[in-house]
Amino acid sequence: RVSSKMLLVVSNLARALITFGYILALWNFSGWPLLLSLFVLTFLTSAIAQFFNPAEVITIPSIVRQGLLLEAMSLFNLTLTGSQIAGMVLIFPFLLKAGEGLGSNGGAILSFGFGTLFYFLAMALVAMLPRDPRQRPALNGRIWRAARGEIRDGWNFVKSHPSIYRPIAHLIAVGLVVIVMVTVAPGFASRVLFIAPEDVIFIFAPAGVGMILGTLNVGRWGQRMNRDQMSNLGLLLVSLGLAALGMIGLAAVNLRTSGLPASALLPSTLVMLIALIIGFGLALLSIPSQTSLQERSPETIRGRVFATLFFLTNLVLIVPAVFVSTLADLLGIPLVLIGIGAILLAGAAYMMLNAETIPVTREGELP
């Protein structure tokens, strides 16, 4: 009912205003009022993402020539990963340092200021996209009744087609890995590697490099491979990588217990190598899965398919987001990493043993 271009423009405008709201909150509040305002702003940011993300991913196949979708998704993930690495490793630390002279919260305020400007820039860029020529149903009083039925239709479409719910399962696994890494990485750095938690980005930055390398290889060679097989291989690499990190942690604990210098025998370079492999696996896991969803979803229902994906991802990841840190404190970070790795490894084995060839002949056409 609303063009994806319009959703992208409005979402970026709203994100710019909300990001500026963080600055106002830091300027005007402290204590509980500040915490409450940050919760509200973060909730609004997440809510807007439920409109922005489906609109973003369904826009790509509408402006990319058929047959080039995998390369387009590789480029999309390459720029996304590159910008995240640049933001976390270079821009954000620089802004924090530069803002120290601006008083309390100066670095955070400066960072949110740059974020606001970049959202306005993003709004201007998506406004330059081609117009969507499709005819859309009118907005009227019956919209809510129709919308409920269409949401149900989207869900039924997903669960009735293995060629659709397999890549959705793969993308949910990507979200799980990201949640786990973000949650336990600082503790892993401080408790296992004995480095400052704020320096964890430098240890796990190779994961971003691995994603870039994986993205380049998928874009170059991916057309010659089966999409689902690539995703299964990526899931296998990621699960083995997480389990390997957990084993390194257990070895470090045992070495410290025996009085040996764990940091000398288990250098950070080993963790960086495993992070590189995990990043490479994430690229193999996510890019073919996103491409498969776009290729296998008819244009008339593609938005609802991706809306279902993001809904299920958020629903499934609520539990690990809340309890992973608690389990890490109770059982230890190494056991949590091994456990998550084992779960993903079992999922990879199931996917591989039940793999099937999906004969998609044209974009949006299913067997």
Side-chain angles (χ1 to χ4, degrees):
R1 290 174 174 79
V2 180
S3 73
S4 56
K5 176 180 176 179
M6 178 63 68
L7 283 174
L8 293 175
V9 171
V10 174
S11 296
N12 278 320
L13 174 61
R15 284 170 153 178
L17 298 177
I18 291 173
T19 306
F20 185 72
Y22 282 100
I23 298 176
L24 297 179
L26 289 169
W27 269 340
N28 296 289
F29 301 123
S30 62
W32 281 106
L34 174 60
L35 182 61
L36 181 61
S37 64
L38 296 181
F39 278 144
V40 171
L41 291 169
T42 304
F43 173 85
L44 293 175
T45 301
S46 180
I48 290 171
Q50 301 310 304
F51 296 90
F52 177 86
N53 292 338
E56 180 183 45
V57 293
I58 68 173
T59 298
I60 296 175
S62 68
I63 59 177
V64 174
R65 192 169 73 249
Q66 187 174 349
L68 296 178
L69 189 55
L70 183 65
E71 289 86 345
M73 290 307 303
S74 297
L75 179 61
F76 171 75
N77 281 271
L78 180 64
T79 55
L80 180 65
T81 304
S83 64
Q84 290 175 332
I85 293 175
M88 291 187 293
V89 177
L90 300 176
I91 299 175
F92 182 57
F94 171 77
L95 292 176
L96 285 181
K97 290 289 185 182
E100 289 179 352
L102 301 178
S104 178
N105 296 323
I109 290 173
L110 188 61
S111 300
F112 284 123
F114 267 75
T116 302
L117 292 177
F118 271 89
Y119 275 129
F120 278 122
L121 175 61
M123 181 186 70
L125 289 174
V126 295
M128 298 167 62
L129 288 171
R131 291 186 59 184
D132 188 348
R134 287 180 297 168
Q135 296 293 323
R136 299 180 180 277
L139 295 170
N140 53 49
R142 293 175 295 178
I143 181 175
W144 299 114
R145 184 185 306 170
R148 287 197 299 270
E150 290 167 359
I151 291 172
R152 186 169 56 249
D153 292 341
W155 170 250
N156 290 334
F157 177 82
V158 168
K159 71 179 183 179
S160 61
H161 291 90
S163 62
I164 295 296
Y165 64 67
R166 287 176 184 273
I168 283 182
H170 283 136
L171 291 172
I172 291 175
V174 172
L176 175 62
V177 173
V178 171
I179 285 288
V180 170
M181 294 300 291
V182 169
T183 303
V184 307
F188 188 89
S190 60
R191 301 178 199 176
V192 176
L193 303 178
F194 292 100
I195 64 174
E198 59 267 23
D199 294 332
V200 66
I201 184 60
F202 300 106
I203 298 298
F204 288 98
V209 177
M211 286 196 70
I212 292 176
L213 293 175
T215 299
L216 292 173
N217 279 276
V218 170
R220 184 175 178 84
W221 309 108
Q223 293 288 6
R224 306 180 185 182
M225 296 181 63
N226 178 274
R227 304 273 197 269
D228 295 325
Q229 289 176 353
M230 276 194 291
S231 295
N232 289 335
L233 176 60
L235 184 58
L236 179 63
L237 290 176
V238 169
S239 60
L240 292 176
L242 290 178
L245 286 179
M247 292 177 184
I248 288 176
L250 285 180
V253 171
N254 293 332
L255 288 172
R256 284 197 299 271
T257 303
S258 62
L260 295 174
S263 58
L265 296 176
L266 295 168
S268 299
T269 52
L270 182 58
V271 175
M272 296 171 72
L273 176 61
I274 295 174
L276 181 75
I277 295 173
I278 291 175
F280 190 89
L282 283 174
L284 295 185
L285 178 58
S286 61
I287 298 173
S289 298
Q290 291 173 337
T291 306
S292 294
L293 276 187
Q294 291 171 334
E295 288 178 334
R296 300 169 185 174
S297 301
E299 186 178 5
T300 55
I301 204 170
R302 186 177 292 145
R304 277 169 278 172
V305 169
F306 277 92
T308 302
L309 163 66
F310 294 120
F311 170 76
L312 290 175
T313 300
N314 288 320
L315 184 66
V316 171
L317 296 186
I318 285 175
V319 173
V322 173
F323 293 109
V324 161
S325 57
T326 302
L327 288 174
D329 290 336
L330 293 175
L331 304 177
I333 293 176
L335 288 180
V336 169
L337 288 173
I338 293 174
I340 298 294
I343 292 173
L344 294 178
L345 184 59
Y350 175 82
M351 291 286 190
M352 289 179 175
L353 292 174
N354 294 274
E356 58 184 69
T357 302
I358 307 297
V360 180
T361 57
R362 293 196 302 271
E363 183 178 322
E365 179 179 277
L366 288 166

